[in-house]
Amino acid sequence: MPASIGYGITTAAVGIILTCTRILDGITDPLLAFVYDRVNTKFGKLRILLIAGYLIEALALYGMFTGFSSKGLGLVAFTLLYVVYVIGYTITNMTAQTIPAIMTNDPRQRPTLGVWTTAFNYLVPMVMSMVLNVVLLPKCGGTYNQAFLTAACNITLIVAAIGTLLVCLGVSAFDKPENFVGTKKAEPLKMADIVEVLKHNKPLQCYIASNASDKLAQQVGSQAIINTILGGIIIGNIALGTILTVISMVPSIFFAAFGAKYVGKHGSKKGIVNFTCISMVITAVMIVFFLVIDPKQIGVMGSPAMIIYVILSLLQNGSNMCITTSNTSYMADAIDFELDRSGRYIPAVVSGTYSLVDKLITSFAAVIATGAVALLGYTATMPQPTDPCTPAIFWMAMVLKFGLPIIGWIITLIAMRSCPLSKEEMVNVQKRIAEKKAAAQSEFYKEQLQ
């Protein structure tokens, strides 16, 4: 939106910029590990990085939406500002990913952190979307213009500042040097350490195959053009389709609490596997549902088809959120596995290595979606809600919206079969870490006495 309104950049060019900068985002993720490793101040590590990341993001967004927008500048200025934003986002996001592992190693508490993460990741954007589009947009004339961009940017930066402050207050008790030490003498990070982690951390390998394939399918299915095809062309009522999506999304957030209890009792790996199986079954039922009914009936308010669609969507979203909760706990487990394996506490390296591969893969989501739509004949125009529903359009939507996730989940189940991080093994990992830390501390005291 700011690219076209404030800088006059075409939609095609924006797509290329976003794809390239997402790849850049993936590359900068593991590089942040070197910064993360070297930041040690009296004010902590996490808080310094979170505030620095926010300030960089804020400066870039203010320049992109307000300071340099509608000033006659073009593609170069927008791209440079967006690159700066990506750097700030990387610092904030990568630091946030390491927080669960630092706050607790209790297998019952880690999934609970995942619940709150999932809830905020869904609720905050949803509320902000309602505020911006329902409250702010009408006040700006009902169209996306420079006044809207400026107001939206200011509101977003204020909310983000409050959120960053609350996170800093929350992690202050854990943001201490002793919480970032390993079980052997620390050495400066090298680029080879990233390769070494990727090569030898088996749980991380499994997580990359599992989560990256799932996220690619999820991002392809969430592209605006795919939602237009499903809600506008197949269901025939894009406005009601959007409302039904929100209705089915909000209650499903509470499924994450159930997922957290399950993962706390049975472990992260088992949570991922079992909720993945449930999601596959529900999605398969959804495909059959679209095949046996007239999808246009979903767009009729109060119809049996609409009610069944909402229920299936609710169950599907709820199961997916349980997977997300399991994944958050699993990443913390993978960080502890690396500490046990190598003796080094390097959470940013573990999460950054995952993010590099993940973003390189998922950066092609928009390309897959637009390429698939182009095969339908939409080469010069985009699908419109008023277009007729042909068999080709129907099956393309089924494959992209429901088929790709099933393929991703099959990859997850295959990957998790070779993953060693069962609940029982994580208990052993925590015991070995505690023993190694006690031995290292004892050796330190002996050296001090000599």
Side-chain angles (χ1 to χ4, degrees), residues 29-85:
D29 281 348
L31 296 180
L32 175 66
F34 296 92
V35 178
Y36 188 98
D37 187 58
R38 287 166 173 76
V39 174
N40 293 290
T41 74
K42 65 179 181 179
F43 300 106
K45 179 193 297 280
L46 301 175
R47 287 167 291 179
I48 293 297
L49 290 170
L50 288 171
I51 292 173
Y54 166 76
L55 291 176
I56 294 172
E57 285 182 287
L59 288 173
L61 290 174
Y62 183 81
M64 191 187 309
F65 281 78
T66 302
F68 299 100
S69 185
S70 298
K71 299 291 192 301
L73 303 176
L75 186 146
V76 174
F78 176 82
T79 303
L80 290 175
L81 288 169
Y82 198 82
V83 167
V84 174
Y85 165 76

Side-chain angles (χ1 to χ4, degrees), residues 220 223 225-226 364-375 378 382 400:
V220 170
Q223 296 293 311
I225 51 176
I226 305 303
F364 295 99
V367 175
I368 293 173
T370 54
V373 171
L375 292 176
Y378 292 98
M382 286 295 178
L400 296 183

Side-chain angles (χ1 to χ4, degrees), residues 28-315:
T28 57
D29 281 348
L31 296 180
L32 175 66
F34 296 92
V35 178
Y36 188 98
D37 187 58
R38 287 166 173 76
V39 174
N40 293 290
T41 74
K42 65 179 181 179
F43 300 106
K45 179 193 297 280
L46 301 175
R47 287 167 291 179
I48 293 297
L49 290 170
L50 288 171
I51 292 173
Y54 166 76
L55 291 176
I56 294 172
E57 285 182 287
L59 288 173
L61 290 174
Y62 183 81
M64 191 187 309
F65 281 78
T66 302
F68 299 100
S69 185
S70 298
K71 299 291 192 301
L73 303 176
L75 186 146
V76 174
F78 176 82
T79 303
L80 290 175
L81 288 169
Y82 198 82
V83 167
V84 174
Y85 165 76
V86 166
I87 293 172
Y89 171 80
T90 297
I91 296 173
T92 301
N93 185 55
M94 289 301 303
T95 303
Q97 285 189 35
T98 68
I99 290 177
I102 294 167
M103 291 186 69
T104 179
N105 60 2
D106 188 331
R108 293 168 298 181
Q109 292 180 352
R110 280 182 171 173
T112 303
L113 293 178
V115 172
W116 290 107
T117 300
T118 302
F120 278 102
N121 282 343
Y122 279 96
L123 285 176
V124 173
M126 195 179 299
V127 171
M128 288 296 294
S129 178
M130 295 292 290
V131 170
L132 297 181
N133 292 311
V134 177
V135 178
L136 181 61
L137 187 60
K139 293 183 177 181
C140 296
T143 60
Y144 296 114
N145 50 41
Q146 184 56 51
F148 173 82
L149 293 182
T150 299
C153 178
N154 293 338
I155 293 172
T156 301
L157 292 182
I158 291 172
V159 172
I162 295 172
T164 301
L165 177 61
L166 291 175
V167 173
C168 288
L169 292 174
V171 302
S172 59
F174 308 93
D175 195 10
K176 300 175 181 178
E178 58 266 28
N179 290 329
F180 297 91
V181 296
T183 59
K184 68 179 185 180
K185 185 177 180 180
E187 299 176 359
L189 283 177
K190 304 181 292 293
M191 186 62 69
D193 292 327
I194 296 175
V195 178
E196 201 269 344
V197 168
L198 183 59
K199 184 177 179 181
H200 296 289
N201 191 316
K202 183 68 174 179
L204 180 61
Q205 295 171 2
C206 297
Y207 186 72
I208 288 173
S210 164
N211 208 32
S213 59
D214 289 354
K215 285 183 66 177
L216 176 62
Q218 179 186 27
Q219 292 192 17
V220 170
S222 63
Q223 296 293 311
I225 51 176
I226 305 303
N227 289 326
T228 298
I229 291 175
L230 182 67
I233 299 177
I234 296 177
I235 295 178
N237 190 336
I238 193 168
L240 180 60
T242 302
I243 295 173
L244 295 180
T245 299
V246 174
I247 291 174
S248 63
M249 181 67 70
V250 175
S252 62
I253 294 175
F254 297 99
F255 279 71
F258 168 77
K261 289 185 177 181
Y262 184 90
V263 172
K265 183 177 180 180
H266 299 283
S268 306
K269 174 186 173 181
K270 195 168 184 178
I272 292 174
V273 170
N274 288 346
F275 288 121
T276 292
C277 291
I278 293 172
S279 291
M280 289 178 66
V281 171
I282 296 171
T283 303
V285 172
M286 182 75 86
I287 295 175
V288 173
F289 172 68
F290 270 90
L291 290 175
V292 299
I293 67 154
D294 176 9
K296 299 292 185 183
Q297 291 300 310
I298 299 174
V300 179
M301 178 64 74
S303 67
M306 187 210 80
I307 295 172
I308 295 173
Y309 177 75
V310 170
I311 293 174
L312 288 174
S313 298
L314 171 63
L315 295 174

